[in-house]
Amino acid sequence: MEDNSLIRHIGGCHCGAVRFAALAPPKVRVCECNCSVCVKKQIKGFLVPAERFEILQGKDNLTEYTFNTGIAKHWFCETQSSLSFQFRIAQNTTSGIIKLAGNALVKVLSPNHLHVPSTKTEWEAMSAAFYTMWQFSQYIGALDGKHIKISPPPNSGSLYYNYKGDFSIVLMALVDANLKFLFVDVGTNGRISDGGVWGKCKLKSALDKNTLNILVANTLPLTNTKVPYVIVADDAFPLSFNLMKPYPGRGLNEEERIFNYRLSRARRISENAFGILATRFQIFKQRILTTPMNATKIVLSCCALHNFLISNNSNIYIPPCSIDVELIENKEIQRGDWKGHYASEAVVPLLMKKGNPGQMTKDIRQKFCRYFNGVGAVKGQNDMCLLH
């Protein structure tokens, strides 16, 4: 059939949040999808080439589902209004259920599954697990933060407006060796500078006051060099006594590149944890369409569920293909499959922070650098550092 016989069909979701248009013949052939979602919801449709389809409004309300084949993709409207049509309950009832469920999940799961170590014995065990896995001594956690997009709050002005030109709240988390979130701080408005986010973070205050009972320092294996226990982070955070970050700039010597590689290698767990969280929980596929307070509860409950699922069903929740793996013999990094589906439009990294750290913190970093280039070296680091 020629293109001049096509007409513009306009449609939308039940709640009216999403509207679309498609060029197709006046009479279309309706077909049924056999996926579990469409069968359950009795959804029928017709097929058109992608270039003939256009979303007119409500793109932010759509959630993408990718099925087992990884090829077929569906977009569904998942606003509270659309859920009220699907389950035949009022929109305000749906809103209340989300709040109650979020509060209940956090209350029930937090004591056992969002637990921050509070004794020296627990921190020593944490450090031992990291050393076994990444050969990074005195390492007690990987720190990272992301902007979580939300809908613009009414009458908030630019309070939640971030450097990416969108509205967000900030999720800051410390991750352990098993990809669990040890510490979670969520809800800071996205406008605040990323240095300001860390300055307001409860973890920074706890580190400064040493209320977490972290051991002050210990000697690196096979040496007499004493260094503090540290958290590893990226360039978004300031270098400090208990916080290690990479050497900045491009004109680095080989020893500094190897240090950056070893730090990045150890910090990979936080990247994987955030990536898995964003891909497993569909809420992160788009901006969260609720108030900042409710969005904070939703994000916190997702973090608690993330830890619960790792503790109880890690083989299914985190299969081997979902995390990054180093192939030393091939001199390459095999990326986890979450990277292909990462909700980069709804979860964005913190902005790189420039600063002038004190000499003492530079000396601590230099001690780790000498250790990684000496008795603490690992196989293939001279080649693998070139990939970073």
Side-chain angles (χ1 to χ4, degrees), residues 41-198:
K41 297 183 178 181
Q42 298 182 353
I43 295 174
K44 296 179 176 62
F46 63 93
L47 301 177
V48 295
E51 62 270 16
R52 294 181 187 171
F53 180 78
E54 178 186 5
I55 298 175
L56 302 176
Q57 70 176 44
K59 186 175 182 179
D60 288 338
N61 296 321
L62 294 173
T63 296
E64 181 184 285
Y65 287 85
T66 302
F67 300 94
N68 291 336
T69 61
I71 300 173
K73 296 180 180 180
H74 284 5
W75 286 344
F76 295 102
C77 173
E78 287 205 345
T79 63
Q80 292 181 16
S81 297
S82 69
L83 290 173
S84 69
F85 279 100
Q86 294 175 35
F87 297 101
R88 302 296 189 268
I89 56 177
Q91 189 272 332
N92 60 337
T93 304
T94 302
S95 179
I97 290 172
I98 292 173
K99 294 177 186 177
L100 289 172
N103 289 335
L105 285 169
V106 173
K107 182 177 180 180
V108 172
L109 297 179
S110 289
N112 295 320
H113 298 285
L114 277 178
H115 171 67
V116 182
S118 57
T119 67
K120 294 180 179 180
T121 302
E122 288 178 309
W123 287 115
E124 285 178 337
M126 192 71 61
S127 178
F130 279 119
Y131 182 71
T132 300
M133 186 174 294
W134 301 111
Q135 296 77 54
F136 195 128
S137 185
Q138 324 297 76
Y139 170 28
I140 55 174
L143 183 67
D144 206 350
K146 303 291 181 185
H147 286 277
I148 309 295
K149 285 189 180 182
I150 60 172
S151 57
N155 304 316
S156 64
S158 60
L159 182 64
Y160 291 90
Y161 196 73
N162 64 35
Y163 76 100
K164 284 285 190 178
D166 217 314
F167 294 84
S168 67
I169 56 175
V170 177
L171 166 62
M172 188 88 69
L174 182 67
V175 182
D176 74 3
N178 298 313
L179 305 180
K180 292 182 182 178
F181 296 113
L182 288 176
F183 171 88
V184 175
D185 188 343
V186 60
T188 301
N189 58 291
R191 183 187 180 188
I192 192 169
S193 68
D194 295 313
V197 173
W198 174 240

Side-chain angles (χ1 to χ4, degrees), residues 13 19 91 139 172 200 243 257 281 284 300 319 386 388:
C13 63
R19 301 292 292 170
Q91 189 272 332
Y139 170 28
M172 188 88 69
K200 289 180 61 178
L243 198 62
R257 287 199 304 271
F281 292 91
F284 296 112
L300 195 57
L386 301 176
H388 291 264

